[in-house]
Amino acid sequence: MIGSVVVVGASLAGVNTVRALRGHGFDGAITVIGAERHEPYDRPPLSKALLAGRAMAADLRLVGAKEDLGVRWILGRRAVELRPSDKAVRLDDGSVVSGEAVVVATGARARRIPLPSPDQGVHVLRSLDDARRLAADLRPGARLVVIGGGFIGCEVAATSRGLGLAVTIVEAAPLPLAGALGPEVAGRLLRLHRDRGVRVECGVEVAAIRGSDRPTGVVLEDGRELPADVVLLAVGAVPETGWLRRSGVALARDGGVVCDAYCRTTVPSVSAVGDVASAEHRFLGGPARVEHWSNAMEQAYVAAAALLGVPGGAVGDDPPYFWSDQYQHRLQLAGRPRPGDTLSIVDGELAGEWFAGTYSRTTPAGAVTTAVVALDRPRVFGRLRRGVGVPPAGRRAG
């Protein structure tokens, strides 16, 4: 039985690993190292409630004021080296923290594009400080260009439109979110944004960001220039694993930490959870780095049970799940649709105000539901979700 644990990353996955360890009765020493100076906080509201001014930083706290996890917190310090042979983590101030087990929960950082840009007014959104800087620039009447039509980009676009900005989304793919949702649902979300007055430019790359002190425009590869007072780079995230490169911990091609289905890395007593982990995923049938809130929660409990040697689940026992709030609408998806899957709308209409549907594909055993999606139909979604990935013989009527 291990006697002490060091969790590197004061993230959702890191904090819930602590909760899971304590929930299993672990009473040893736990140290949590966080690169940010802030107390652990929830990230999904950054692009919505906090950016819109409907929530304060205190509303995002992951650890309640009266919750005692028995943790030693080291905040505002970044891990720079893992020494498995010494069971130690070296920090950026030269100090060393030791533990019999290490949990890597360092998440990811916002990806940037290699374009010259002004010092002010060009943002990424990954942290609380990022959100505060962006919020200060989101003034009514300002012109915002969002580069990248993923979930963060679309959520910020929706929030900013509600604040009275002129918003343009630039997406290199033919449709925003088509890779995650398939062309039909992605097309519906495209109409949602355009109906709210957002300009969406698809199938084009960005060539330059104009401006000296602040942006004045975004130049597209086809030569057009979009006027801009504010720019958000929302082009994905890169796992925070640079500090592991000489540790012996295997890294995946995308930089994530290679893990088995129980979040165990290639180094004994070192686990990884959350956005940083490329874990064997039972539902997806192979290694995957799933950047969803629900995945961070699930992996925390899987890793804690595996570390303590007590019964627990595996990564991917349940299908991946996420939601996205845009305008006054909530989109939910469980599972993962793949190219060639058939979308069937079973409630409402795709062109209507709300809908729910299933993605399916034919297998030798029959048609299998690979994912379900819904817009503003939570109860129907919950019912359909129970059938995702279930073989035809295992389905229940109703």
Side-chain angles (χ1 to χ4, degrees):
M1 174 70 72
I2 57 174
S4 59
V5 178
V6 176
V7 178
V8 186
S11 57
L12 175 72
V15 169
N16 278 287
T17 300
V18 174
R19 285 199 179 99
L21 289 168
R22 295 304 190 207
H24 283 301
F26 178 69
D27 60 2
I30 300 178
T31 301
V32 177
I33 301 164
E36 296 183 55
R37 57 186 174 84
H38 307 291
E39 294 182 9
Y41 60 87
D42 206 15
R43 295 184 188 275
L46 295 180
S47 59
K48 301 177 282 287
L50 188 129
L51 208 58
R54 299 192 305 271
M56 304 296 289
D59 301 320
L60 277 57
R61 288 177 55 175
L62 287 174
V63 181
K66 297 182 179 180
E67 185 179 14
D68 184 8
L69 295 174
V71 168
R72 175 194 177 200
W73 299 97
I74 302 177
L75 301 178
R77 295 264 68 94
R78 186 176 297 276
V80 295
E81 183 183 11
L82 173 64
R83 301 173 180 170
S85 58
D86 300 330
K87 297 184 177 180
V89 176
R90 185 168 65 88
L91 307 185
D92 56 2
D93 63 352
S95 62
V96 174
V97 181
S98 299
E100 294 178 27
V102 174
V103 178
V104 178
T106 41
R109 66 183 183 277
R111 188 187 303 276
R112 295 181 179 269
I113 53 179
L115 293 176
S117 59
D119 293 333
Q120 302 294 321
V122 179
H123 300 270
V124 295
L125 181 56
R126 188 75 189 181
S127 69
L128 178 58
D129 289 338
D130 290 340
R132 286 171 167 166
R133 285 189 289 266
L134 177 58
D137 273 353
L138 297 183
R139 298 180 295 273
R143 300 165 299 181
L144 168 68
V145 174
V146 179
I147 301 174
F151 288 104
I152 295 296
C154 286
E155 289 175 358
V156 172
T159 301
S160 300
R161 192 73 188 106
L163 292 172
L165 281 80
V167 180
T168 301
I169 298 173
V170 180
E171 170 56 47
L175 287 169
L177 298 169
L181 301 172
E184 298 97 333
V185 177
R188 175 65 184 88
L189 289 183
L190 174 63
R191 293 195 299 273
L192 176 65
H193 283 279
R194 285 179 170 166
D195 288 347
R196 296 299 183 110
V198 174
R199 177 179 177 181
V200 185
E201 297 289 343
C202 299
V204 62
E205 300 272 0
V206 171
I209 300 174
R210 299 269 195 226
S212 52
D213 295 332
R214 295 189 61 87
T216 58
V218 172
V219 181
L220 306 182
E221 281 198 333
D222 60 13
R224 290 177 294 155
E225 183 168 344
L226 308 173
D229 305 303
V230 188
V231 175
L232 173 68
L233 306 178
V235 291
V238 181
E240 284 282 16
T241 53
W243 64 287
L244 296 172
R245 296 202 180 276
R246 293 188 300 274
S247 67
V249 172
L251 301 179
R253 187 168 296 179
D254 71 349
V257 177
V258 173
C259 304
D260 65 11
Y262 301 95
C263 297
R264 297 175 298 208
T265 74
T266 54
V267 172
S269 300
V270 178
S271 302
V273 292
D275 291 358
V276 76
S278 180
E280 282 294 326
H281 198 288
R282 288 190 173 181
F283 180 86
L284 298 176
R289 196 170 63 84
V290 180
E291 297 181 80
H292 300 334
W293 188 93
S294 56
N295 179 70
M297 294 286 287
E298 174 191 1
Q299 289 189 354
Y301 287 88
V302 168
L307 276 173
L308 298 177
V310 299
V315 177
D317 282 346
D318 295 317
Y321 165 71
F322 77 90
W323 75 94
S324 178
D325 294 326
Q326 300 177 36
Y327 306 104
Q328 287 75 47
H329 300 283
R330 171 161 289 190
L331 177 77
Q332 294 173 282
L333 180 78
R336 179 167 290 182
R338 296 176 292 173
D341 287 358
T342 299
L343 173 66
S344 302
I345 302 301
V346 299
D347 189 41
E349 297 180 359
L350 190 61
E353 289 295 311
W354 46 264
F355 65 87
T358 62
Y359 301 86
S360 64
R361 68 171 42 239
T362 301
T363 71
V368 173
T369 300
T370 56
V372 299
V373 65
L375 184 70
D376 297 334
R377 301 301 281 171
R379 290 187 179 180
V380 178
F381 176 83
R383 173 172 57 83
L384 294 174
R385 184 179 177 182
R386 295 194 292 270
V388 176
V390 179
R395 291 182 185 150
R396 292 184 178 181

